[in-house]
Amino acid sequence: MRIVIAAVIGVASLVLTPANASEIEGPGRFCGYSPIIDLMPGKKVTTLEGGIHGGGFRWEGAFGTLEVYGTGWASRPKGRIVKSRSADSPARFAQKRAEGGYQIAIWNGSHGAAYFTSPTPFTQSQLKAIDRVVLFEEGQSPSNCKSRTIFSWE
């Protein structure tokens, strides 16, 4: 029994250990766990935590600060689509109340999704920033990434 408990604790420590935070500043293309953001000068992301299929980061710019959680292995987010998916951009879902404020999801119609959280209702400049984000999913390798997040067992 002790061996089983020790094994569970050991595996949990591998899975639940958060990645170290790091700041990535623009200009350049940042490829997160699913979101791809072309960072302009003065904009930055700070990686927060990650796991096997997704992770989070803070995105800062002239529009303010957004907390972002992306996943490359998602199902369709819940809610109403307010901006349809096109060849160049994912579908955007309606803003809704969520823990910590307000949330907007985007989805590529397959397995890529990202969730943006703001403590206050989203502004027009935040919506424009979100609308510039594209998504990739597990198994795809986006190009021209200056910085990217990757999963590591270390």
Side-chain angles (χ1 to χ4, degrees):
M1 181 67 167
R2 288 181 185 162
I3 294 172
V4 171
I5 292 171
V8 169
I9 291 170
V11 169
S13 68
L14 284 174
V15 174
L16 301 176
T17 302
N20 293 331
S22 64
E23 287 186 1
I24 301 164
E25 295 188 21
R29 177 169 272 197
F30 168 71
C31 298
Y33 297 88
S34 179
I36 300 172
I37 299 172
D38 288 320
L39 294 172
M40 304 302 189
K43 292 185 173 51
K44 71 178 181 178
V45 296
T46 303
T47 58
L48 299 174
E49 61 183 29
I52 296 174
H53 298 293
F57 58 91
R58 184 177 303 109
W59 182 20
E60 299 174 69
F63 54 80
T65 301
L66 297 172
E67 297 287 325
V68 184
Y69 182 82
T71 179
W73 193 250
S75 58
R76 182 190 189 279
K78 294 181 180 180
R80 179 176 50 91
I81 293 175
V82 295
K83 183 176 177 247
S84 297
R85 184 173 66 88
S86 70
D88 299 335
S89 65
R92 179 168 36 97
F93 288 74
Q95 173 175 242
K96 65 181 181 178
R97 294 275 307 168
E99 185 178 328
Y102 296 83
Q103 183 182 77
I104 288 178
I106 61 173
W107 179 55
N108 71 353
S110 187
H111 296 294
Y115 299 84
F116 301 84
T117 305
S118 172
T120 58
F122 288 86
T123 65
Q124 284 299 332
S125 61
Q126 288 172 325
L127 293 175
K128 287 179 183 177
I130 291 169
D131 286 344
R132 290 191 303 269
V133 175
V134 294
L135 299 168
F136 69 101
E137 56 192 69
E138 286 187 25
Q140 296 177 328
S141 296
S143 61
N144 302 321
C145 299
K146 174 184 174 188
S147 304
R148 66 179 304 149
T149 54
I150 59 170
F151 175 75
S152 173
W153 282 103
E154 296 176 14

